Amino acid sequence: MFFRAVICALALGVATAFTAPPLDPSITMFFRAVICALALGVATAFTAPTRSAWTMSTNDLYQGSVATQTAVPGYGGALSRGCMRETAESTILVQGGSLRTWSYRSPLVEQVQVVLSTEGRPLDADIELWHGPDNTPCKMRVYVENGQLRPFSAVIDTPRGPNTVAIRNIGQIEFPFAADVYANDVEDPSAECVASSATIQGGALRTYPFDTLVDSVEVLLKTDGRPLNARIELLQGPNNNKEVIELYTEDGFDRPFFCILETPGSGNVVRIVNTAPVEFPMTAAVVPHSINENMGAGAVLGGDVVIGGDLGW
């Protein structure tokens, strides 16, 4: 409005100057001052804002972790358990066929935890660790039948930064999942898990059955410095895969694999297969992580029995 008033006054003055007889020199100086003020105001209005007016630059995106922080309601299955964080503020939704990355520039970040979950639909994802151009020292393929009942949680070692964790949803667009990667409060294997490691030769497999009271188990795989190729399966019933993880690690000593598998219900068996040749053995440990001691608290002897047969008898 101020500039409009100045322009109107200037137009009126110019019209008066061209239609009226010669003006007094003081009036002429006044119009010159108005023209100078108008020119200065217009130049200031069209000047680009300074750097301080912007809220973020490209360099600001690479301070710490790079990820879009968006809360995802309804995907709290992986975050409501005791072994994981209880906040969903940093969880983002990964649509089917899309890719999300988390970058860490600081060399102090030596481990990150990856948590994936759905609202009850299947989960199918590719997880890769990028360390330098065209260098993928760790990658895995994850399939979960029900991402809400059995959320995926794994720890990836990231020594010698910078590192980038890439998560791709290889499922269809109807199967999104929630993903979270964080470097604080990362889960570590228990002392029992580290002490119970056993060798699995190349091409061999080993199974670990668990009781109904076990709600989740810890899985730790590592080598003596050789590459690690393995397949981890969670079965419930004969050949009924509830969760499958196909794993590759460039150095199983420098980058061991640790994950927590949710095992609700009964008849859970963890099967670990060393898919590498016989020259590449590995050590594996599978122990209970959490136990539900109140599962049979409300049971009544004989009260839950269902007898089948003909109704007419």
Side-chain angles (χ1 to χ4, degrees):
M1 294 298 295
F2 170 75
F3 289 115
R4 290 180 180 177
V6 173
I7 292 173
C8 292
L10 178 63
L12 180 60
V14 171
T16 305
F18 281 99
T19 58
L23 300 177
D24 187 78
S26 60
I27 300 178
T28 304
M29 292 299 295
F30 169 75
F31 283 117
R32 290 181 180 177
V34 172
I35 292 174
C36 293
L38 178 61
L40 181 60
V42 172
T44 305
F46 287 96
T47 303
T50 59
R51 170 64 181 86
S52 60
W54 299 96
T55 58
M56 181 176 294
S57 68
T58 305
N59 295 329
D60 296 333
L61 295 175
Y62 294 93
Q63 299 298 327
S65 173
V66 178
T68 303
Q69 306 295 323
T70 305
V72 182
Y75 288 81
L79 303 173
S80 60
R81 305 181 185 273
C83 63
M84 304 168 192
R85 298 193 304 177
E86 297 182 356
T87 60
E89 296 178 355
S90 60
T91 303
I92 66 173
L93 188 64
V94 183
Q95 298 291 343
S98 61
L99 171 69
R100 294 292 182 271
T101 59
W102 287 256
S103 298
Y104 297 89
R105 297 185 61 186
S106 175
L108 300 178
V109 179
E110 297 183 349
Q111 285 182 324
V112 296
Q113 187 156 357
V114 179
V115 179
L116 307 179
S117 64
T118 68
E119 55 181 4
R121 303 184 182 186
L123 186 153
D124 203 356
D126 270 341
I127 304 174
E128 295 182 351
L129 175 65
W130 297 344
H131 186 201
D134 298 329
N135 182 23
T136 308
C138 179
K139 58 183 177 180
M140 64 190 77
R141 167 80 178 272
V142 180
Y143 167 78
V144 182
E145 184 184 64
N146 188 335
Q148 185 179 34
L149 187 62
R150 299 177 181 86
F152 172 77
S153 175
V155 177
I156 301 177
D157 284 72
T158 59
R160 299 176 299 276
N163 293 275
T164 297
V165 177
I167 300 178
R168 183 185 300 273
N169 188 346
I170 58 177
Q172 299 179 0
I173 195 173
E174 296 85 2
F175 301 100
F177 62 75
D180 189 14
V181 180
Y182 52 90
N184 299 324
D185 301 328
V186 176
E187 292 288 330
D188 294 324
S190 61
E192 179 187 1
C193 182
V194 176
S196 61
S197 297
T199 302
I200 301 179
Q201 299 293 337
L205 64 88
R206 180 166 296 186
T207 58
Y208 302 85
F210 289 95
D211 191 75
T212 308
L213 299 178
V214 178
D215 280 345
S216 61
V217 298
E218 300 180 9
V219 178
L220 176 63
L221 304 180
K222 57 183 179 180
T223 67
D224 57 356
R226 306 180 189 186
L228 172 62
N229 289 272
R231 185 172 69 250
I232 305 171
E233 301 176 358
L234 175 62
L235 299 93
Q236 193 174 29
N239 296 325
N240 186 11
N241 288 326
K242 298 297 183 180
E243 184 171 352
V244 180
I245 304 172
E246 295 180 356
L247 171 68
Y248 165 76
T249 300
E250 184 180 56
D251 188 338
F253 181 80
D254 197 22
R255 305 176 188 272
F257 176 76
F258 174 70
C259 71
I260 298 176
L261 303 179
E262 301 292 332
T263 58
S266 60
N268 290 286
V269 177
V270 176
R271 179 167 62 188
I272 298 180
V273 183
N274 188 347
T275 57
V278 69
E279 296 85 4
F280 301 93
M282 70 177 184
T283 59
V286 183
V287 298
H289 178 71
S290 62
I291 298 176
N292 186 5
E293 299 178 354
N294 299 324
M295 176 171 290
V300 179
L301 185 61
D304 297 332
V305 177
V306 178
I307 300 177
D310 295 333
L311 296 177
W313 291 68

